[in-house]
């Protein structure tokens, strides 16, 4: 199962789309966040199965809710595998509207580990009609050349920068520079982990387009799309 967390306009606070967040129901009925089990899933080699299940649930939600636009994370294992993309393509090639309402998130560290392969992956997703976001942007210190090569649509500013943007001049300068770089390349920007109005005001002032975090919306469990498409 999964939860949805809204991503809102920094200026109007209107919901633009929502990120799909993986959740697991324990034997006792407790709902566990991804942080509690994703590392174990990667270590056990079952992260691809989780990626496939999350794709199925996301596509099912898009089918039953034409008003939804969603953003879905994909692990490094699935980016480099090819079978995940082939499965996605089978669903989206016949439904461009659903593709238009789907964004795929790839972490910056995954992207720069194999830049050429990541760029091919991004290009293939965009050919399907999806948008692509580079997640945790700034954590891996992607160069100007690498960011331009990747050809994504959106960069998501890593939450560690948002945490200290109100207290650290270097962080503020860095975020302002990242936003200017993104704007120069024609990319949208999302600031992650926004928790205070002061952070939101500063992010809006430096030109960030969208916000994500507890200040603007907590994750809400979505259980309706229970079967894969």
């Amino acid at each position: 199962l999964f939860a949805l967390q809204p991503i809102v306009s920094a200026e109007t606070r209107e919901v633009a789309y929502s990120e799909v967040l993986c959740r697991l129901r324990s034997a006792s009925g407790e709902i566990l966040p991804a942080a509690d089990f994703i590392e174990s899933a990667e270590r056990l080699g079952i992260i691809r199965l989780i990626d496939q299940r999350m794709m199925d649930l996301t596509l099912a939600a898009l089918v039953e809710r034409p008003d939804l636009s969603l953003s879905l994370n994909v692990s490094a294992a699935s980016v480099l595998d090819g079978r995940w993309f082939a499965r996605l393509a089978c669903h989206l090639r016949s439904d461009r509207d659903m593709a238009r309402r789907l964004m795929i998130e790839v972490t910056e560290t995954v992207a720069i580990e194999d830049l050429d392969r990541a760029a091919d992956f991004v290009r293939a997703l965009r050919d399907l009609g999806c948008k692509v976001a580079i997640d945790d942007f700034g954590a891996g210190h992607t160069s100007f050349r690498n960011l331009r090569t990747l050809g994504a649509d959106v960069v998501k500013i890593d939450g560690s920068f948002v945490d200290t943007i109100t207290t650290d001049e270097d962080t503020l300068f860095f975020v302002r520079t990242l936003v200017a770089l993104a704007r120069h390349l024609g990319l949208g920007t999302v600031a992650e982990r926004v928790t205070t109005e002061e952070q939101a005001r500063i992010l809006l002032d430096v030109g960030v387009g969208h916000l994500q975090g507890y200040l603007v919306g907590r994750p809400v469990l979505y259980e309706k799309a229970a079967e894969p498409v």
Side-chain angles (χ1 to χ4, degrees):
L1 64 157
F2 64 93
L4 297 182
Q5 184 173 30
I7 295 170
V8 308
S9 164
E11 185 172 3
T12 67
R13 303 289 176 93
E14 293 181 357
V15 177
Y17 57 98
S18 297
E19 182 178 353
V20 175
L21 301 174
C22 186
R23 296 291 184 263
L24 182 68
R25 195 190 305 274
S26 70
S28 65
E30 181 184 4
I31 304 299
L32 303 176
D36 287 359
F37 60 86
I38 286 297
E39 284 190 10
S40 296
E42 290 174 339
R43 188 170 60 252
L44 293 170
I46 60 172
I47 190 64
R48 290 183 181 89
L49 296 177
I50 292 176
D51 282 342
Q52 290 176 8
R53 178 59 174 163
M54 292 307 298
M55 181 207 301
D56 289 343
L57 291 172
T58 299
L59 294 176
L62 289 171
V63 167
E64 68 187 21
R65 288 278 306 278
D67 59 308
L68 278 181
S69 292
L70 300 177
S71 182
L72 174 67
N73 286 279
V74 59
S75 72
S78 292
V79 169
L80 300 176
D81 185 346
R83 287 175 290 184
W84 183 91
F85 175 82
R87 187 183 181 98
L88 178 69
C90 285
H91 293 296
L92 296 187
R93 283 188 177 126
S94 61
D95 194 335
R96 300 291 287 187
D97 175 69
M98 189 160 64
R100 180 183 58 79
R101 294 185 287 120
L102 179 62
M103 182 180 293
I104 303 299
E105 296 188 17
V106 180
T107 63
E108 181 188 21
T109 49
V110 169
I112 62 178
E113 281 175 6
D114 191 334
L115 183 63
D116 291 338
R117 198 162 180 179
D120 288 342
F121 182 72
V122 170
R123 189 160 42 248
L125 287 168
R126 297 189 74 198
D127 286 346
L128 285 177
C130 301
K131 291 184 174 63
V132 181
I134 304 302
D135 197 15
D136 301 333
F137 185 68
H141 307 296
T142 294
S143 71
F144 173 83
R145 181 183 66 83
N146 289 350
L147 189 57
R148 184 169 55 184
T149 298
L150 285 169
D153 300 281
V154 172
V155 290
K156 299 187 72 176
I157 299 167
D158 187 71
S160 62
F161 297 111
V162 176
D163 290 343
T164 58
I165 197 169
T166 63
T167 58
D168 188 278
E169 288 288 335
D170 291 340
T171 296
L172 177 58
F173 177 81
F174 188 54
V175 171
R176 185 181 287 116
T177 302
L178 291 181
V179 173
L181 172 60
R183 184 184 294 118
H184 176 77
L185 294 174
L187 305 178
T189 48
V190 177
E192 301 179 301
R193 219 154 71 199
V194 181
T195 57
T196 71
E197 286 292 349
E198 187 179 8
Q199 290 170 341
R201 178 186 58 77
I202 291 172
L203 291 163
L204 176 62
D205 288 346
V206 300
V208 171
H210 292 84
L211 309 176
Q212 180 178 11
Y214 283 3
L215 174 68
V216 296
R218 290 177 176 267
V220 176
L221 198 63
Y222 186 102
E223 296 186 276
K224 190 176 179 184
E227 295 302 321
V229 294

